Amino acid sequence: NAGVTQTPKFQVLKTGQSMTLQCAQDMNHNSMYWYRQDPGMGLRLIYYSASEGTTDKGEVPNGYNVSRLNKREFSLRLESAAPSQTSVYFCASRDRGPVDTQYFGPGTRLTVL
Amino acid sequence: GEDVEQSLFLSVREGDSSVINCTYTDSSSTYLYWYKQEPGAGLQLLTYIFSNMDMKQDQRLTVLLNKKDKHLSLRIADTQTGDSAIYFCAERPQWGNKLVFGAGTILRVKS
C-alpha cells in the first residue's frame, strides 16, 4: 500500500514549455486534489476531483488543466509554464471515513526559468 | 468566508513544551486538523479534533478547541529535535469537498 505517489520529484522547465505532473493513489478514495505550496502562503487548491469523471476549479486554477484518468490517477498539466508557477505541487486524496481528511503525496518541486 | 491564520515561527528548547496557535473563521467547520510537514516531504496528518470536542490528548500531543473564540491550539510536551517541522492547521467547512489550510508555523527546536 504505497498511499499517494507523485512523479517526478523535481523538474526544471523553461518559460513556455509544457509538462504533466502525475499522481496516483491506491487507497480507493473517490476525491483527489492538487495544491501548490509557496513560502508564507500555505497550501492553495488548484483543482480537485470529487469523483471519477468530474473536476472542479479551486482557488488558483489559471494556467493549469487536470485530467481524472480513472479512480486512481489525477494529473495536472501546465500548457505553457511561467516563472510564477515555480512552486512545490502536492497531490492528495480524501478518505471519507471517520476522520474525513486528506492524505498527501511527497510533492513535486518545479522550477520555471 | 473561510480563513485560517497561524503565527509563522516558534522557537523552543529541547524538553520544553511547544504551543502552536491557530484561528479560523468558519463556525460551521466540522473537523479541525493539525498536519506536520518535515523538510522535503509532504504533509502528514498529526491529529484532529471534532468540532463538538474541547480537548483531545494523544501521547505528547494535546489539542484544545475554543469554539466561541474559533481558536485551536496544539501543545507538544517534551519537545524533541525530531519535532522540528512546519505545522499546518486546517479546517473542514461543513459544506464542500475541500480543506482550508493556514500558512503554517515553522517550529524550530534548539538542543
Side-chain angles (χ1 to χ4, degrees):
Chain A
N1 187 339
V4 180
T5 56
Q6 292 182 237
T7 55
K9 288 193 182 332
F10 301 94
Q11 184 71 49
V12 179
L13 293 177
K14 294 182 180 176
T15 297
Q17 288 185 316
S18 62
M19 80 159 295
T20 300
L21 282 64
Q22 306 287 353
C23 174
Q25 53 93 10
D26 61 3
M27 296 176 282
N28 203 35
H29 292 164
N30 285 320
S31 301
M32 297 183 73
Y33 304 80
W34 276 105
Y35 294 90
R36 60 178 288 173
Q37 182 182 25
D38 301 292
M41 299 187 75
L43 286 130
R44 293 184 291 170
L45 183 64
I46 305 171
Y47 269 94
Y48 67 98
S49 170
S51 61
E52 188 178 353
T54 69
T55 61
D56 285 286
K57 294 178 180 179
E59 296 173 66
V60 289
N62 291 344
Y64 304 95
N65 285 302
V66 289
S67 295
R68 184 72 184 268
L69 304 168
N70 48 56
K71 191 170 186 178
R72 290 187 62 247
E73 298 172 288
F74 188 38
S75 62
L76 178 72
R77 182 159 179 86
L78 287 71
E79 289 291 351
S80 178
S84 60
Q85 294 178 303
T86 293
S87 189
V88 182
Y89 291 85
F90 289 101
C91 177
S93 67
R94 178 182 177 187
D95 173 10
R96 298 200 68 172
V99 179
D100 191 10
T101 189
Q102 294 178 17
Y103 293 87
F104 285 80
T108 295
R109 188 172 294 274
L110 175 67
T111 301
V112 183
L113 302 175
Chain B
E2 306 147 350
D3 194 19
V4 176
E5 294 192 358
Q6 304 177 234
S7 52
L8 290 184
F9 186 76
L10 176 66
S11 179
V12 300
R13 292 197 177 278
E14 191 175 19
D16 288 351
S17 291
S18 307
V19 179
I20 303 171
N21 295 300
C22 168
T23 57
Y24 61 97
T25 55
D26 190 340
S27 58
S28 72
S29 291
T30 52
Y31 302 80
L32 294 132
Y33 308 89
W34 285 103
Y35 279 82
K36 178 182 180 183
Q37 184 183 30
E38 296 182 352
L43 279 70
Q44 287 187 297
L45 179 65
L46 194 60
T47 188
Y48 64 94
I49 188 166
F50 295 118
S51 59
N52 62 358
M53 297 169 65
D54 298 322
M55 184 180 88
K56 180 180 179 183
Q57 188 143 6
D58 183 1
Q59 299 182 332
R60 292 190 298 121
L61 305 177
T62 303
V63 179
L64 295 177
L65 175 61
N66 180 329
K67 284 193 72 174
K68 174 174 167 292
D69 294 337
K70 301 193 189 82
H71 182 267
L72 183 74
S73 67
L74 173 70
R75 179 176 181 269
I76 305 173
D78 187 24
T79 313
Q80 303 298 307
T81 55
D83 295 323
S84 292
I86 305 176
Y87 291 81
F88 291 92
C89 171
E91 62 172 344
R92 173 174 295 293
Q94 184 176 9
W95 307 110
N97 290 307
K98 58 179 185 172
L99 293 180
V100 179
F101 286 88
T105 299
I106 299 171
L107 175 64
R108 179 183 162 215
V109 182
K110 295 178 285 188
S111 57

